[in-house]
Every structure is written in structure tokens, then in C-alpha cells.
Amino acid sequence: MTNATNINVTGTSGAAARRPLAFRIIIPVILAALLLFTGCTMAPDYQRPDAPIPSTYPLQGTDTGKVEGENSGETAAPPAWRDFFKDETLRRVITLALENNRDLRVSMLNIERTRAQYSIQQADLLPTVAAAGSSTNQHLPAAMSQTGAKTVSRQYSASLGFSAFELDLFGRVRSMTEQALQEYYSVEEQAKSAQLSLVAETAAMYLQLVADREIYDLTQATMVSWEENHTLIRRKYEAGVASDLDLSQAESILNEARVNLASMATQVGQDENALALLMGCPIPEDLPQVRRLADVTPLMDIPEGLPSELLERRPDIRSAEHQLMGANANIGAARANFFPTISLTGSLGKLSADYNNLWDGASRTWSFMPQVSLPIFDMGRNMAQLDVSETDKEIAVARYEKTIQSAFREVADALVARQYIGDRLESQEALVASTQRSYRHASTRYNAGVSSYLNVLDAQRSLYSAQSSMISTRLLRESNALMLYKTLGGGWE
């Protein structure tokens, strides 16, 4: 496709004064034909493919079919992120990430870039009108002059017109513009998806940091307890009450605690670095160092009875559908290649050999050059391009359907996890309580000389493991609520 930017100027005879009238008649006719025909395209009517997913979620009675009518589930959509995350510190962390994260910044700049590309493509729908002025000066020596004397010739021109503007009778340019528009919409949805992922990843990393800090504090407290036990066993050993085996076992579990503490310190530091990267800036010094998940305001629960339209709200599904609609528009452009291409070039201006007479009425000039190009033999190029565009659409359909299937699976996984998270929390709390009793009984029996110190060590390890798992299970509950929020497309302000 050729953009209309050049201007052609031709000389005129003495009858040029009468031709601008014809030029002024032709131009309105061309514009009328342009407005009449350029709204049509040869692209097939777009039809959204049926969603290739089951009618219900696993373990849920939620209908995933299309919901019609006024009560279509919009009121059941997840809340805006500021309402979903009620913890003030977490809100501040997410706000910093949205303001400073570089990946999100790139996604937003991609929107601007795609918008500009669409504007470039859209400009081809109308002719590009340009003004031009030129001066030609030529000196001929006497040997080359027809008069036998040296001569100097000059020509001045000024014109206004357009060049090689394609009259889009068969919708080729319109289809390409539609494809560029759908690409812009797709990139816009991709940026929303990046924003949603950033919010979820930042919240998840912050919760992970708090949980690891809590496990670190638990490990440190456990190590202090094991240091006290080691000191007690060493004194008993020096007094001849405890055996060398008891002292060795106490030293082993103390060293194990030191290893665990160093490992958790490393994990906390790495969590802080990861959070700073997501935030796009160092963690503010005045940000509260929350060290227990219980001190974080719980995330809002997504209610039961999830409508199917929540899946349609997901930015990645919308992006895939816009890609499909763009591929559908490309078929129209490929079909239009089989039909004639009509381009127009025209100009209206002044032409004179004397600059002083350039603006006289007698120096007017105009030109109008329509051109028609009809493909006759192209070695199957146009047919191959049509096959490519139709195949691209089938690929886009498959990607769109796969995106829906992946989204359905993510929601289903989150719902299945939520179904049993309560049982896991209850069982884990019972496990912590039972291991605490076991540790007390083992300590009492050892102090009474009834059992060996090995039983105390096993009980201590089991208690530490159960308490650490309890923190991880509480984190899992928050992570599940966050995952369900993300997989449903989040809420937008």
C-alpha cells in the first residue's frame, strides 16, 4: 500500500484557465465515492467461538455457561484491589510497585507505541494533502543551444495536491486498519494483565516475606531453647548424671538449629530483595516490619456462586479474542488483493517561467491521474496470502480456546484448594497442640529418668516442624484467596 505524500506538477497549454473547473468537479465526486464505498470490507463476519470448558467447576455448583439478562453477575465481580487488600502496609507496597515497576512501565509504553502504529495505519484511509514549491534553472552553452547563443531558462511552480491515494473500494485498507485497532486493544489488555500479575506477585511476595520472618523468629526462639537444653545437659554430664550420648545429641540438635537459622536469614534477605525488585525501589525505611501473618489484615473472601462472566473479564482472554478479531480482519485484506487497486494522484497549482508572473490567473495548472491495477498472473501469491490469513485465524481460535481452558483450570484449582483449606488449618492446629503435649511429656519423662534424651529430641524436632508448617498453612490460605482473585480477572477501578 502506497501512502499519498508526493506531488506531481505538469505543464499546461493556453487552455489551462478552463480546466480548474473540471478539477473542482472531479474532486467532490471522488470524495463522495470514497465515503460511499470505504466503509465496506470483505472480512468474514466475526463470531465468537464457543468456550471449550465444562458447564460447572469441580466441587462447585457454579454455572460457567453464558449468563444473559440484566443480572449477569457484574455485581459479583471481585472488588477493586484497594478494597480486596485491606492491610495498609500491603496497600502501600502495591502502590509503590504500580508506580515504579519497570516491567509494568514497559507494558504501558507498549500501549502508546501500538496506539501510534494504529494512527499511522488509520492515516491511509484519507489522502495526504501536501503543498510544494520548486524552482528549475538551466544554463545552456552556445554550442548546445538551438539559437546558437547561450541561454538561461527558468521555471517556477507552486501546487497543492495528493499522490497515489488508494481508493479503498474493496476494503483492503479498512481491513488493515481494523487489524491495527484490534492489535492496539490486545496490547492494552496485555498491559492490564501485567498490572494484575504485578499486584498479585507483589502481594504474594510481601506475604511470603512476613511468613519467612515469622519462621525465622520461631527458629531463633527454638534455637534459644535448644541452647538452654544443651547447657543443662552439659552441666548434667559434668556432674556425671547425663551420658556422653545425651551431650552429643544435644550438640547435634543445637547445630541443626543454627543451620536452620542461617538458612532462614538467607531466605528473608532474598525475599526482601525480590520485593524491592517488584516495587522498583528500595524498601522504605519507615515501612513497618511486620513479622507475623496474624498481624496482616486477612484478604477478602471471594463469595460462592461465581458467574461465568468473570472469566470473560480476564485481560488475557480479552487480549486473545482481540488477536482473533485482528486475524479475522486480515482475511478481508487478503481477499481484497484479488480485486483491482485504484489509486489517485492530483494537484492544483501555478506554473510560470517568470517568478513575478507565478501568481497570475493565466499561470494556473492542474493534473489528475487515476491508475487502476488488476492482478492477472501472480504465481498464486494472492491465493497463498489468503491461505496464510485463514490459517492464522485458525491458530488464533486455538490460542483463544486454550487461554479459556487455562483460565478455567486455574480457577478450578483455586476452588479445589479452597474447598480443603479449612480442614488443613484445623488439622494443622491439632497437630501443633499434640506435638506440644508430646514434647512436654518427653521432657518430663527424661527429667524423671524414665526415657532417653533421644525422645526429647524427636519431640522437639516434631514441634518445630509442626509450628513451621502451621505458618506455611496460614500463608497458603492467604495465597489461595489471592490466587482466586487473580484467576478471576481481579477488580478494576
Side-chain angles (χ1 to χ4, degrees), residues 179-203:
Q179 191 278 332
L181 177 62
Q182 295 302 327
E183 180 67 22
Y184 163 67
Y185 288 151
S186 177
V187 172
E188 191 175 40
E189 294 298 334
Q190 290 173 14
K192 291 181 180 180
S193 182
Q195 181 179 3
L196 175 60
S197 296
L198 176 62
V199 170
E201 290 176 12
T202 303

Short mmCIF file of all heavy atoms in Angstrom, two decimals, residues 179-203:
data_model
loop_
_atom_site.label_atom_id
_atom_site.label_comp_id
_atom_site.label_asym_id
_atom_site.label_seq_id
_atom_site.Cartn_x
_atom_site.Cartn_y
_atom_site.Cartn_z
N GLN A 179 -7.37 -4.39 11.71
CA GLN A 179 -6.39 -5.27 12.34
C GLN A 179 -5.47 -4.49 13.28
O GLN A 179 -5.16 -4.96 14.39
CB GLN A 179 -5.56 -5.98 11.26
CG GLN A 179 -4.69 -7.12 11.77
CD GLN A 179 -3.38 -6.64 12.36
OE1 GLN A 179 -2.87 -5.60 11.96
NE2 GLN A 179 -2.84 -7.40 13.30
N ALA A 180 -5.05 -3.31 12.88
CA ALA A 180 -4.20 -2.48 13.74
C ALA A 180 -4.95 -2.04 14.99
O ALA A 180 -4.37 -1.98 16.08
CB ALA A 180 -3.70 -1.26 12.95
N LEU A 181 -6.24 -1.76 14.84
CA LEU A 181 -7.04 -1.38 16.00
C LEU A 181 -7.17 -2.53 16.98
O LEU A 181 -7.04 -2.35 18.20
CB LEU A 181 -8.43 -0.92 15.54
CG LEU A 181 -9.42 -0.54 16.65
CD1 LEU A 181 -8.89 0.64 17.45
CD2 LEU A 181 -10.78 -0.21 16.05
N GLN A 182 -7.42 -3.75 16.48
CA GLN A 182 -7.53 -4.90 17.36
C GLN A 182 -6.19 -5.21 18.03
O GLN A 182 -6.15 -5.66 19.18
CB GLN A 182 -8.03 -6.12 16.57
CG GLN A 182 -9.44 -5.98 16.03
CD GLN A 182 -10.46 -5.71 17.12
OE1 GLN A 182 -10.33 -6.20 18.24
NE2 GLN A 182 -11.49 -4.95 16.78
N GLU A 183 -5.09 -4.97 17.33
CA GLU A 183 -3.78 -5.16 17.94
C GLU A 183 -3.58 -4.18 19.09
O GLU A 183 -3.02 -4.53 20.13
CB GLU A 183 -2.69 -4.96 16.88
CG GLU A 183 -1.27 -5.13 17.40
CD GLU A 183 -0.96 -6.55 17.81
OE1 GLU A 183 -1.65 -7.48 17.33
OE2 GLU A 183 -0.03 -6.74 18.62
N TYR A 184 -4.05 -2.96 18.91
CA TYR A 184 -3.96 -1.97 19.98
C TYR A 184 -4.78 -2.41 21.19
O TYR A 184 -4.32 -2.35 22.33
CB TYR A 184 -4.44 -0.61 19.47
CG TYR A 184 -4.78 0.37 20.56
CD1 TYR A 184 -3.79 0.88 21.39
CD2 TYR A 184 -6.09 0.77 20.77
CE1 TYR A 184 -4.10 1.76 22.40
CE2 TYR A 184 -6.41 1.66 21.78
CZ TYR A 184 -5.41 2.15 22.59
OH TYR A 184 -5.72 3.02 23.60
N TYR A 185 -6.02 -2.87 20.94
CA TYR A 185 -6.84 -3.36 22.05
C TYR A 185 -6.18 -4.53 22.75
O TYR A 185 -6.23 -4.66 23.98
CB TYR A 185 -8.21 -3.78 21.53
CG TYR A 185 -9.11 -2.63 21.12
CD1 TYR A 185 -10.08 -2.79 20.12
CD2 TYR A 185 -9.00 -1.39 21.72
CE1 TYR A 185 -10.90 -1.76 19.74
CE2 TYR A 185 -9.81 -0.33 21.34
CZ TYR A 185 -10.76 -0.52 20.35
OH TYR A 185 -11.58 0.52 19.98
N SER A 186 -5.56 -5.42 21.97
CA SER A 186 -4.91 -6.59 22.56
C SER A 186 -3.75 -6.18 23.46
O SER A 186 -3.60 -6.71 24.57
CB SER A 186 -4.41 -7.52 21.44
OG SER A 186 -3.73 -8.63 21.98
N VAL A 187 -2.93 -5.25 22.99
CA VAL A 187 -1.80 -4.79 23.80
C VAL A 187 -2.30 -4.08 25.06
O VAL A 187 -1.70 -4.20 26.14
CB VAL A 187 -0.90 -3.86 22.97
CG1 VAL A 187 0.17 -3.20 23.83
CG2 VAL A 187 -0.24 -4.64 21.84
N GLU A 188 -3.40 -3.37 24.95
CA GLU A 188 -3.97 -2.70 26.11
C GLU A 188 -4.40 -3.73 27.16
O GLU A 188 -4.17 -3.55 28.37
CB GLU A 188 -5.17 -1.85 25.68
CG GLU A 188 -5.69 -0.92 26.75
CD GLU A 188 -6.80 -0.03 26.23
OE1 GLU A 188 -7.65 -0.53 25.46
OE2 GLU A 188 -6.82 1.15 26.59
N GLU A 189 -5.01 -4.83 26.72
CA GLU A 189 -5.40 -5.88 27.66
C GLU A 189 -4.18 -6.59 28.22
O GLU A 189 -4.18 -7.01 29.39
CB GLU A 189 -6.31 -6.89 26.95
CG GLU A 189 -7.67 -6.34 26.52
CD GLU A 189 -8.50 -5.86 27.71
OE1 GLU A 189 -8.29 -6.38 28.83
OE2 GLU A 189 -9.36 -4.98 27.51
N GLN A 190 -3.13 -6.73 27.43
CA GLN A 190 -1.90 -7.32 27.94
C GLN A 190 -1.31 -6.47 29.05
O GLN A 190 -0.76 -7.01 30.03
CB GLN A 190 -0.90 -7.50 26.80
CG GLN A 190 -1.28 -8.56 25.79
CD GLN A 190 -0.35 -8.57 24.58
OE1 GLN A 190 0.73 -7.97 24.59
NE2 GLN A 190 -0.76 -9.26 23.52
N ALA A 191 -1.42 -5.16 28.91
CA ALA A 191 -0.93 -4.28 29.97
C ALA A 191 -1.77 -4.44 31.24
O ALA A 191 -1.24 -4.42 32.36
CB ALA A 191 -0.96 -2.83 29.49
N LYS A 192 -3.08 -4.60 31.08
CA LYS A 192 -3.93 -4.86 32.25
C LYS A 192 -3.55 -6.18 32.91
O LYS A 192 -3.54 -6.29 34.14
CB LYS A 192 -5.40 -4.88 31.83
CG LYS A 192 -5.97 -3.54 31.42
CD LYS A 192 -7.43 -3.66 31.05
CE LYS A 192 -8.02 -2.33 30.64
NZ LYS A 192 -9.46 -2.45 30.26
N SER A 193 -3.26 -7.18 32.08
CA SER A 193 -2.84 -8.46 32.63
C SER A 193 -1.52 -8.32 33.38
O SER A 193 -1.33 -8.93 34.45
CB SER A 193 -2.70 -9.49 31.49
OG SER A 193 -2.33 -10.76 31.99
N ALA A 194 -0.60 -7.53 32.84
CA ALA A 194 0.67 -7.30 33.53
C ALA A 194 0.45 -6.58 34.85
O ALA A 194 1.10 -6.87 35.85
CB ALA A 194 1.61 -6.49 32.63
N GLN A 195 -0.49 -5.64 34.86
CA GLN A 195 -0.79 -4.93 36.09
C GLN A 195 -1.39 -5.87 37.13
O GLN A 195 -1.02 -5.84 38.31
CB GLN A 195 -1.75 -3.77 35.81
CG GLN A 195 -2.10 -2.96 37.05
CD GLN A 195 -3.04 -1.81 36.73
OE1 GLN A 195 -3.47 -1.66 35.60
NE2 GLN A 195 -3.37 -1.02 37.74
N LEU A 196 -2.32 -6.72 36.70
CA LEU A 196 -2.93 -7.68 37.62
C LEU A 196 -1.88 -8.64 38.16
O LEU A 196 -1.86 -8.94 39.36
CB LEU A 196 -4.04 -8.44 36.89
CG LEU A 196 -4.72 -9.58 37.67
CD1 LEU A 196 -5.36 -9.05 38.93
CD2 LEU A 196 -5.74 -10.28 36.79
N SER A 197 -1.00 -9.13 37.29
CA SER A 197 0.05 -10.05 37.74
C SER A 197 0.99 -9.36 38.72
O SER A 197 1.42 -9.97 39.70
CB SER A 197 0.83 -10.57 36.54
OG SER A 197 0.01 -11.33 35.68
N LEU A 198 1.30 -8.10 38.46
CA LEU A 198 2.19 -7.37 39.36
C LEU A 198 1.56 -7.20 40.73
O LEU A 198 2.22 -7.38 41.76
CB LEU A 198 2.53 -6.00 38.76
CG LEU A 198 3.38 -5.09 39.64
CD1 LEU A 198 4.74 -5.73 39.92
CD2 LEU A 198 3.55 -3.72 38.99
N VAL A 199 0.28 -6.84 40.77
CA VAL A 199 -0.41 -6.71 42.06
C VAL A 199 -0.37 -8.02 42.82
O VAL A 199 -0.06 -8.07 44.02
CB VAL A 199 -1.86 -6.23 41.83
CG1 VAL A 199 -2.66 -6.33 43.13
CG2 VAL A 199 -1.87 -4.80 41.31
N ALA A 200 -0.69 -9.12 42.12
CA ALA A 200 -0.73 -10.43 42.77
C ALA A 200 0.67 -10.87 43.21
O ALA A 200 0.85 -11.37 44.33
CB ALA A 200 -1.34 -11.46 41.83
N GLU A 201 1.68 -10.70 42.35
CA GLU A 201 3.03 -11.12 42.70
C GLU A 201 3.59 -10.29 43.86
O GLU A 201 4.28 -10.84 44.74
CB GLU A 201 3.94 -10.99 41.49
CG GLU A 201 3.65 -12.01 40.38
CD GLU A 201 4.51 -11.78 39.16
OE1 GLU A 201 5.47 -10.98 39.26
OE2 GLU A 201 4.24 -12.39 38.11
N THR A 202 3.30 -9.00 43.86
CA THR A 202 3.79 -8.15 44.95
C THR A 202 3.14 -8.55 46.27
O THR A 202 3.82 -8.65 47.30
CB THR A 202 3.51 -6.68 44.64
OG1 THR A 202 4.11 -6.32 43.38
CG2 THR A 202 4.07 -5.78 45.72
N ALA A 203 1.82 -8.76 46.25
CA ALA A 203 1.13 -9.18 47.47
C ALA A 203 1.64 -10.53 47.95
O ALA A 203 1.87 -10.74 49.14
CB ALA A 203 -0.37 -9.23 47.22
#
